[in-house]
Amino acid sequence: MASSNPQVVGWIGLGSMGLAMAQNVQRFLQDTKPQLRFWNRTTSRGAPLELLGAIGCESIAQLVTECDLIFISTSDDAALNSILDQVLAVKDIDGKLFVDTTTVHPNTTKESDEKLKKRNASFVAAPVFGATPVAESGTLLMAMGGPSQAIDKVVPFVKDVLAREVMIVSDQPEKATLLKTLGNFIVAGTMEIVGEAQVLAEKSDLGTDMLEKLLELNFGFLHSSSRRMTQGVYMPEEGQSPRSNLNLGIKDVQHGISCAQDVGTRLKVAEVALENMVRAKEFSDAHGARPLDSSSGYGIIRQDSGLDFENTVVKERGARKGGGSSQ
């Protein structure tokens, strides 16, 4: 049976995105509503939330028992399935509402929905568009799929709290994660196209700055994609976390290719991008598993054109820090 207070909210998963979103929910709940409950495998990740007044739980079972509305933010399909196994082990989840913000394959979303329906619980898929700084500012874009009554209960906790806008996609949760998958394909395709263009500009002596100026003046969001490459974001400094993890990027692009195959079509640009991302991971593995950004396929495009994986910005940054090239 759901707890007597319908406003008890829980949060499972405190990665960089999850922590940022959970903090914003706790700030929203402060003063007027029960405090957020949270659980994370690494307990210390919850320290910032505790400082805001949120309450840590010892287990997923405890959190699910105490809460009616439970958000999940984790890394991939396997992690989500593991969490759901623990959720489903709770004796009574009747009437509880689960909201998954994770980027997973639409088939995983559909299976999650079916499992929870069998236990008289509701499920909403709510994947988000935006990196950690956007999550911190509460200005993500969120897609939602699920029963309209369930979505109506969730929206007050996310609109202008986590997200600047909420797109209601369908009453089928898996359509929301499909939309997210297509968004990821567009990002990966953009990175591939801009990376190829920037390498051509560099090798032909037109110059990366000139191309980047064109992107700024005439191609909108392509400009920020370009700067992730030219400013060295694609290869973070030693010890720094990537803006968007390459391993997760590979997973996201693989999902897009799989979705296309399921309906008898292809995402050919995604296939090219995936090959370069996988080779970038091999480069990472060969250099001590150094974390790379999901835009690091740019380094492979450079290598295939006879350039170094590291551009001038990355090399100069390494020299200032006293480190050598990874070549």
Side-chain angles (χ1 to χ4, degrees):
M1 184 72 66
S3 62
S4 60
N5 189 332
Q7 305 221 22
V8 179
V9 182
W11 195 283
I12 297 172
L14 300 176
S16 58
M17 289 289 289
L19 178 59
M21 289 190 284
Q23 287 176 303
N24 283 331
V25 171
Q26 170 58 19
R27 292 186 184 102
F28 171 70
L29 294 173
Q30 275 179 334
D31 301 327
T32 59
K33 300 180 179 71
Q35 304 303 293
L36 181 75
R37 270 66 167 171
F38 68 88
W39 179 88
N40 191 65
R41 183 175 56 186
T42 304
T43 306
S44 60
R45 290 284 298 172
L49 272 171
E50 291 180 331
L51 290 175
L52 292 174
I55 301 170
C57 293
E58 294 184 359
S59 65
I60 288 176
Q62 179 191 350
L63 183 145
V64 171
T65 300
E66 294 182 1
C67 300
D68 299 276
L69 171 59
I70 298 108
F71 288 87
I72 300 171
S73 176
T74 190
S75 57
D76 56 27
D77 303 57
L80 175 61
N81 287 331
S82 176
I83 289 169
L84 280 183
D85 286 345
Q86 295 174 73
V87 167
L88 294 168
V90 176
K91 182 177 181 181
D92 186 359
I93 60 172
D94 277 14
K96 295 183 185 289
L97 172 54
F98 295 85
V99 182
D100 180 34
T101 69
T102 312
T103 299
V104 295
H105 195 289
N107 289 345
T108 301
T109 298
K110 185 175 182 179
E111 292 165 3
S112 301
D113 182 39
E114 291 171 349
K115 290 175 184 177
L116 290 167
K117 276 181 179 177
K118 289 179 181 178
R119 295 290 304 280
N120 297 317
S122 299
F123 181 77
V124 170
V128 296
F129 299 81
T132 301
V134 185
E136 291 171 345
S137 67
T139 56
L140 294 162
L141 174 63
M142 178 177 282
M144 274 195 192
S148 58
Q149 289 183 333
I151 287 176
D152 288 345
K153 293 177 182 178
V154 178
V155 168
F157 294 92
V158 300
K159 181 67 168 68
D160 299 322
V161 179
L162 304 180
R164 67 183 187 276
E165 191 60 68
V166 177
M167 296 178 63
I168 309 302
V169 181
S170 170
D171 60 357
Q172 301 174 60
E174 64 269 22
K175 299 303 184 187
T177 42
L178 176 58
L179 183 65
K180 170 62 172 170
T181 297
L182 288 174
N184 289 337
F185 159 63
I186 292 170
V187 171
T190 296
M191 292 296 176
E192 179 66 27
I193 292 168
V194 173
E196 291 180 13
Q198 279 291 16
V199 168
L200 174 56
E202 182 174 344
K203 290 209 70 176
S204 61
D205 296 326
L206 172 66
T208 59
D209 289 346
M210 185 57 65
L211 176 58
E212 201 157 84
K213 189 64 175 179
L214 171 64
L215 297 177
E216 178 183 12
L217 295 175
N218 206 49
F219 293 96
F221 76 97
L222 297 182
H223 179 247
S224 62
S225 298
S226 177
R227 288 187 64 81
R228 283 175 71 176
M229 301 174 199
T230 61
Q231 300 304 305
V233 176
Y234 75 98
M235 188 174 187
E237 294 184 47
E238 293 278 6
Q240 296 296 311
S241 297
R243 173 179 167 182
S244 174
N245 186 278
L246 172 61
N247 295 328
L248 296 181
I250 290 172
K251 177 261 297 183
D252 293 344
V253 176
Q254 287 172 330
H255 284 344
I257 292 171
S258 171
C259 288
Q261 291 172 340
D262 287 346
V263 295
T265 188
R266 288 176 65 184
L267 298 179
K268 295 182 181 180
V269 174
E271 293 170 8
V272 174
L274 178 61
E275 179 185 353
N276 288 335
M277 294 168 78
V278 169
R279 289 173 60 196
K281 184 180 186 306
E282 292 171 355
F283 177 93
S284 168
D285 292 342
H287 294 86
R290 178 171 177 173
L292 294 177
D293 187 74
S294 59
S295 59
S296 55
Y298 170 61
I300 298 300
I301 299 169
R302 292 177 57 81
Q303 285 186 327
D304 286 348
S305 300
L307 302 173
D308 290 338
F309 189 96
E310 299 173 328
N311 68 2
T312 301
V313 170
V314 172
K315 289 180 178 178
E316 291 179 347
R317 188 182 64 203
R320 288 195 300 270
K321 292 286 186 178
S325 170
S326 293
Q327 301 301 320

